[in-house]
Amino acid sequence: MSGQTTEPAAGGLRIVIGSDEAGVDYKEALLKDLEADGRVAEVIDIGVHRAAEDFTRPYPYVGLKAGQLISEGAADRALLFCGTGLGVAIAANKVLGIRAATAHDSFSVERSVLSNNCQVLTMGQRVVGLELARRLAREWIGYTFDPDSASAAKVQVLSDYEGC
Ligand code: RB5
């Protein structure tokens, strides 16, 4: 199957984490969780950072940067936050080959990987409680897309459309 997948590189996942100002509390909390997770080989923090110049960077830049890092092969996945999770997902999806989904429930998080081979999960700090977001992220890390599954041909339609 062509295109970027959610399959972990040998040694664990390389995960981008990012947010805009409206998601920075969750970004900081989940950054610590990812760094402590043995399934994660590398965490790439693309901001925004509290009390830093990038703090007011609008959400599209965050989503686009995350998508580009995956597209370039520098990361396997991204976990992104904004107020709703929608803006960063829309932005990441503008990058060729990237499949980003906003999900605030366990089943959708699972299916985003197993059905849709999404590399990017987004959540909204103004939508979901912190402890649920942490649990969903833990679950998300445990899923791996099966390229031999019936879902693969459906995802391939998107890859073919994009020519990647
Ligand atoms: C705040 O700018 C808010 O609009 C943003 O974080 C996000 O929810 C957009 O989708």
Side-chain angles (χ1 to χ4, degrees):
M1 180 176 170
S2 61
Q4 293 80 18
T5 81
T6 53
E7 290 173 52
L13 288 165
R14 300 164 300 161
I15 303 182
V16 173
I17 189 160
S19 74
D20 69 356
E21 186 179 357
V24 72
D25 297 339
Y26 281 24
K27 196 266 287 182
E28 288 176 349
L30 269 293
L31 171 63
K32 289 181 190 151
D33 285 356
L34 294 184
E35 285 176 338
D37 194 310
R39 300 168 295 175
V40 178
E42 184 183 0
V43 186
I44 303 165
D45 180 2
I46 60 168
V48 301
H49 301 95
R50 205 179 294 280
E53 199 175 295
D54 71 0
F55 191 61
T56 56
R57 177 182 296 156
Y59 68 83
Y61 295 105
V62 177
L64 289 169
K65 178 70 179 175
Q68 286 160 358
L69 286 169
I70 294 168
S71 178
E72 291 163 6
D76 304 303
R77 294 195 191 182
L79 178 62
L80 305 176
F81 299 94
C82 63
T84 59
L86 299 175
V88 283
I90 291 166
N93 275 315
K94 297 293 180 192
V95 179
L96 213 60
I98 297 304
R99 293 171 296 278
T102 306
H104 297 115
D105 70 276
S106 188
F107 185 62
S108 298
V109 167
E110 177 194 289
R111 297 326 304 174
S112 76
V113 176
L114 300 188
S115 293
N116 309 118
N117 198 8
C118 287
Q119 311 97 330
V120 183
L121 173 64
T122 77
M123 291 187 253
Q125 183 175 305
R126 296 171 180 163
V127 179
V128 66
L130 176 59
E131 292 310 317
L132 179 54
R134 295 178 71 202
R135 175 185 290 259
L136 294 173
R138 281 197 301 275
E139 293 175 1
W140 174 69
I141 290 166
Y143 297 121
T144 303
F145 183 72
D146 177 1
D148 297 322
S149 69
S151 296
K154 299 169 191 172
V155 177
Q156 188 63 45
V157 176
L158 298 171
S159 301
D160 289 347
Y161 177 78
E162 291 184 311
C164 64

